[in-house]
Amino acid sequence: MMMAPLIHWKLSSLFLSDGKSKDLLTMKQNEVEWIEYQNVMEDVARRSGLDKRIFYDLRGNHDNFGVPEIGGSSDFFSKYSINGQFGRKGNINSVTVETGDRKHLFVGLDSTMSTGVRGPTNLFGHPTDQLLAEIDSQLSQWDSQKGKPTTKISFGHFPLSFSALSQSQKSLKDVFLKHSISAYLCGHLHTRFGKNLKRHHLSNENFLSSLEFFQLNMHPKPSESAKNCSSQAPPLKEFWEWEMGDWRKSRAMRIMAVDKGHVSYLDIDFKTGTKTTIVLPTFPLDSRFMLTSSFHQMYECQHMVPLSFETIRCIVFSISPIMSVVARIYDTRPGSPHLIMETTMAKFVRDVSRGDIYAAAWNYKAFEDPSPDRFWLQIEVTDAMGRSTLSELRPFSVNGLNAKISWTWKEFFVMGCQWAALYYPIFWCAIYLMLSILVIPKICLIFSKEQYSYKTSICEKGLITCIAWGLQDLCRIPVVCFGILGYLIYLISCPWLIGQVFTDSENRGYMTYMGWVVKTFKDSEKHEYIGSPDIMVVVLSHLFSVVIPSILVAGALATERGIYKEHFLSLSGKKEDDDDSSQKNKRSVKYDNQGRGISKFLFVERLFRKILLVACLAICWKHFMNCRVLIKAYEMNPLLHFPVYSLAIPFLLAYAVYKTRSIQ
């Protein structure tokens, strides 16, 4: 039996440094953490017996908090990381592993900001045009040589949903699709957003432009042209994006293998304890996470199936000698899985010390089926201690069909949304919405003969009438209306805050909705609008959790006062334009025999106002919590460095509460 050489790697996503204070609010470099990291990696290399040069550590946003320039005094990555110790100074590092019949190319990339500001506005990867050109060059290095095919894999810190476009509006996705890499491995999000952070990318000219902003499903639907069997048809362009769980908090590790060009992986959870045996099936592939388009095209066009299909294969790691390895295939067509094949796998002897390959012959044609998840594979390994280890039960499809798997809403939020492309559309939609709420009712109030009131809304009972009435009531409080309008103009045209964005510097930068404007230590270079779209975590949070709710609550307060005024006048028998010159008359109206209904309205029916007052307090609390985060993050004084941002909304809400307390 002939066996294909198999390449495997152990991978993990972790914080090289956390870069955060104990309260998680101050985000800058801490040299003590870097020294600890260096000592840990020295210990790992010593205990494992591995050459430290085979390790590759990759800079992430935590390792870039407050670093103004690479090689500077606060750039501890260059000093303490493994890459730094071995002089790997470039943003691109690649390695090629060659076996008897294939080449395997691995390209690691660092897309962190060249000028790293502190968090929380350091969230995105920022590939430059130069970086994209270098990645393209590295991935192309074996294309001109005929002969051995090349499996290409890339890895970086940021998922593509949190990677900005370059200055020429190009993306990492464009480069990866051009070369049809097998997989892009990333970290950043870890496991707190879900364990299914995977995304299949497919080049398709018929895709709607909206997919530049959203991908609703993990598997994009290929067009019919993807099934072109002509020899002149261009090859399909696709790749997988696989986010990895982190070691630091989740104790997750990934083993990835390339077997005859087939890429597979296994995620291991060490929170449940150490593993005595690890089993990674390498063929057939999991039909949920495989590059299916090329396999499916080959199957439909009846091309020759490669020899790698002729055996079931797996790789086994164990601390004890292995006594038996058994592969089992289950059929789920009856409704519940039932065993249809069981075969013993034989060890493939090879001259390596880590991991053993096991294989068993099978008739793969018997498992061709139009359903991608009808057949499931599981492998059982028994060691010399009598311990049995089962691999995960996985669906497979020898004819290359996808077994569909859906994101949760949280997984879609972080993997399916292209946040770099969405930031400005969301920002301007929010601004135009708020301006419309404030300006249009005011214009109607001035120029339109039709005035909306409580009576008209009750008579017409229309939603638009009620909304128009509420917004016009807000316009009758000019300080609040024009105050919020002026605040919006301020947010568009002026700096929001002035903060210390670097780890060790007295130079402050200022932040606008477009990004930070800062200078380096020596004041020799001015950087404009860096950290965009990263600043969206501050900007959009402020707009949607503070400003828009404040407008709505202020309008609701004005509306509630209008209802109360109408009710008060109806009970008192007075008209709205009656002369209420005497405070004594007001009191007599309130406390006469008919005043019982008014008192009931004051203490019972004005419950809605009390609810709105609680909403005002909630908005102010959320706003002050946001300000507290910014104060700690950028070492600011709210009265000196962002007074308009911090005080305008609480003042306007307080004034709205004061003006709506009574009908006077």
Side-chain angles (χ1 to χ4, degrees):
M1 178 177 61
M2 294 184 62
M3 279 296 304
L6 183 146
I7 308 296
H8 70 272
W9 296 264
K10 295 184 179 68
L11 307 138
S12 184
S13 172
L14 69 159
F15 299 119
L16 303 188
S17 67
D18 193 6
K20 291 184 178 181
S21 58
K22 290 184 179 180
D23 60 6
L24 306 180
L25 298 180
T26 304
M27 305 180 198
K28 60 181 181 180
Q29 297 304 294
N30 185 342
E31 190 169 11
V32 173
E33 291 181 347
W34 282 100
I35 295 173
E36 181 181 1
Y37 167 71
Q38 184 184 48
N39 293 336
V40 168
M41 293 309 298
E42 293 284 353
D43 187 60
V44 168
R46 183 174 61 256
R47 287 172 177 263
S48 64
L50 297 172
D51 188 340
K52 196 168 66 170
R53 287 176 297 181
I54 71 172
F55 289 88
Y56 183 94
D57 46 13
L58 190 68
R59 190 197 306 260
N61 59 315
H62 285 247
D63 314 308
N64 199 38
F65 284 154
V67 179
E69 52 190 353
I70 303 300
S73 59
S74 58
D75 179 23
F76 299 128
F77 178 85
S78 297
K79 181 177 180 181
Y80 294 105
S81 70
I82 294 176
N83 278 8
Q85 293 173 42
F86 287 104
R88 304 167 186 163
K89 297 181 180 180
N91 290 330
I92 303 292
N93 285 277
S94 65
V95 61
T96 303
V97 179
E98 188 170 358
T99 59
D101 57 351
R102 297 189 73 86
K103 290 187 177 74
H104 307 82
L105 176 62
F106 300 88
V107 178
L109 59 100
D110 176 2
S111 61
T112 55
M113 283 190 285
S114 58
T115 300
V117 302
R118 294 187 186 184
T121 56
N122 188 338
L123 187 65
F124 281 70
H126 292 264
T128 62
D129 286 313
Q130 180 182 353
L131 179 69
L132 295 178
E134 291 177 3
I135 296 172
D136 183 35
S137 175
Q138 289 294 325
L139 290 173
S140 304
Q141 60 182 286
W142 299 109
D143 290 354
S144 60
Q145 296 187 12
K146 305 298 182 182
K148 293 182 179 180
T150 304
T151 300
K152 302 175 182 180
I153 295 173
S154 184
F155 52 97
H157 180 76
F158 299 94
L160 300 186
S161 55
F162 281 85
S163 294
L165 298 177
S166 68
Q167 188 173 4
S168 63
Q169 300 301 298
K170 295 180 180 179
S171 68
L172 288 169
K173 177 181 175 180
D174 299 329
V175 179
F176 294 157
L177 282 174
K178 175 183 177 181
H179 295 278
S180 290
I181 66 174
S182 295
Y184 170 61
L185 308 176
C186 55
H188 192 55
L189 300 175
H190 311 297
T191 57
R192 66 177 177 270
F193 292 103
K195 296 184 178 180
N196 207 25
L197 301 179
K198 306 167 183 70
R199 183 177 176 183
H200 185 215
H201 297 270
L202 183 66
S203 178
N204 194 325
E205 295 179 356
N206 294 331
F207 273 178
L208 299 176
S209 59
S210 62
L211 290 181
E212 294 297 322
F213 302 97
F214 300 102
Q215 181 174 309
L216 298 177
N217 196 287
M218 185 185 301
H219 299 275
K221 184 178 180 181
S223 66
E224 292 300 318
S225 61
K227 300 176 182 179
N228 190 345
C229 295
S230 170
S231 60
Q232 303 297 322
L236 292 170
K237 296 183 181 298
E238 61 175 337
F239 70 94
W240 268 103
E241 179 183 0
W242 291 330
E243 202 268 356
M244 298 191 300
D246 62 284
W247 175 262
R248 183 178 182 271
K249 292 185 176 180
S250 301
R251 288 295 185 262
M253 185 183 75
R254 172 172 294 170
I255 298 177
M256 189 181 70
V258 183
D259 182 1
K260 268 288 188 179
H262 305 300
V263 181
S264 56
Y265 70 90
L266 174 69
D267 286 332
I268 308 165
D269 181 9
F270 281 96
K271 270 193 171 181
T272 58
T274 58
K275 312 299 178 184
T276 58
T277 302
I278 298 172
V279 187
L280 170 57
T282 61
F283 194 84
L285 297 173
D286 189 327
S287 58
R288 297 168 296 182
F289 311 118
M290 62 185 291
L291 291 175
T292 57
S293 299
S294 55
F295 288 165
H296 187 48
Q297 186 179 41
M298 175 181 59
Y299 171 78
E300 285 202 340
C301 298
Q302 298 181 351
H303 292 171
M304 181 181 295
V305 176
L307 295 176
S308 61
F309 278 50
E310 295 180 349
T311 56
I312 302 171
R313 300 183 295 280
C314 72
I315 183 170
V316 178
F317 304 89
S318 180
I319 62 175
S320 301
I322 301 300
M323 302 306 295
S324 68
V325 179
V326 178
R328 298 186 180 94
I329 295 178
Y330 297 86
D331 188 353
T332 61
R333 173 170 286 182
S336 58
H338 69 282
L339 184 65
I340 59 172
M341 175 181 169
E342 180 175 287
T343 181
T344 300
M345 304 180 73
K347 181 178 179 180
F348 175 69
V349 180
R350 60 193 186 118
D351 188 21
V352 294
S353 59
R354 296 178 181 272
D356 295 311
I357 302 176
Y358 287 81
W362 69 326
N363 179 16
Y364 67 87
K365 293 183 179 179
F367 299 98
E368 293 178 347
D369 193 86
S371 172
D373 55 3
R374 174 184 175 182
F375 300 110
W376 294 65
L377 171 69
Q378 188 172 54
I379 295 174
E380 181 179 14
V381 177
T382 305
D383 65 14
M385 303 292 292
R387 293 173 296 207
S388 175
T389 301
L390 292 173
S391 68
E392 177 191 11
L393 196 61
R394 297 181 173 188
F396 67 89
S397 173
V398 295
N399 36 310
L401 294 171
N402 277 125
K404 300 300 181 183
I405 183 169
S406 298
W407 282 317
T408 64
W409 70 267
K410 189 185 294 186
E411 291 166 343
F412 163 74
F413 185 77
V414 295
M415 289 297 286
C417 299
Q418 292 298 128
W419 287 108
L422 284 169
Y423 169 53
Y424 281 115
I426 293 175
F427 173 80
W428 286 113
C429 283
I431 293 294
Y432 291 143
L433 171 65
M434 291 184 286
L435 290 175
S436 300
I437 290 174
L438 296 170
V439 174
I440 295 177
K442 189 65 175 179
I443 294 174
C444 293
L445 194 62
I446 296 173
F447 296 103
S448 176
K449 294 181 179 180
E450 185 175 7
Q451 303 294 315
Y452 295 97
S453 66
Y454 175 62
K455 291 180 180 179
T456 57
S457 64
I458 291 297
C459 294
E460 298 183 14
K461 295 182 180 180
L463 178 61
I464 296 178
T465 303
C466 292
I467 293 174
W469 160 55
L471 295 179
Q472 283 194 352
D473 270 359
L474 175 61
C475 294
R476 293 186 175 97
I477 311 177
V479 172
V480 176
C481 182
F482 287 109
I484 296 177
L485 184 61
Y487 186 64
L488 292 180
I489 295 173
Y490 170 84
L491 294 181
I492 296 172
S493 59
C494 300
W496 289 34
L497 46 93
I498 301 172
Q500 186 171 319
V501 296
F502 297 138
T503 297
D504 299 313
S505 175
E506 296 300 324
N507 295 332
R508 291 183 175 271
Y510 62 85
M511 192 200 83
T512 72
Y513 77 92
M514 293 185 290
W516 286 94
V517 177
V518 299
K519 290 184 178 181
T520 55
F521 288 138
K522 300 178 181 179
D523 293 340
S524 59
E525 186 178 0
K526 185 178 181 180
H527 301 274
E528 292 190 350
Y529 306 128
I530 63 173
S532 178
D534 310 65
I535 43 93
M536 68 186 298
V537 298
V538 174
V539 174
L540 297 186
S541 174
H542 184 58
L543 295 182
F544 285 97
S545 67
V546 177
V547 183
I548 292 178
S550 296
I551 296 174
L552 298 179
V553 169
L557 284 168
T559 303
E560 190 275 341
R561 184 187 68 164
I563 297 174
Y564 169 53
K565 184 176 182 178
E566 293 282 352
H567 190 75
F568 182 90
L569 294 174
S570 67
L571 290 177
S572 65
K574 299 175 72 65
K575 296 181 180 179
E576 187 173 354
D577 56 353
D578 283 349
D579 181 20
D580 295 328
S581 59
S582 173
Q583 183 68 22
K584 181 178 179 180
N585 289 339
K586 293 180 184 178
R587 292 179 180 176
S588 65
V589 170
K590 183 175 180 181
Y591 293 107
D592 64 7
N593 290 334
Q594 297 178 0
R596 295 175 184 175
I598 300 173
S599 299
K600 180 180 178 182
F601 182 74
L602 283 172
F603 293 105
V604 178
E605 294 191 34
R606 291 206 84 180
L607 176 63
F608 182 55
R609 175 177 171 82
K610 297 176 182 178
I611 295 174
L612 292 175
L613 294 180
V614 173
C616 288
L617 292 175
I619 292 171
C620 289
W621 178 85
K622 173 62 176 175
H623 178 55
F624 288 133
M625 288 298 101
N626 290 346
C627 290
R628 176 175 175 265
V629 170
L630 295 173
I631 289 169
K632 294 283 289 183
Y634 302 111
E635 300 182 24
M636 298 184 297
N637 184 317
L639 298 179
L640 296 177
H641 300 123
F642 59 124
V644 178
Y645 174 93
S646 60
L647 299 178
I649 290 296
F651 171 79
L652 292 171
L653 281 178
Y655 187 82
V657 170
Y658 171 76
K659 289 297 290 184
T660 58
R661 75 192 189 284
S662 66
I663 63 173
Q664 297 181 32

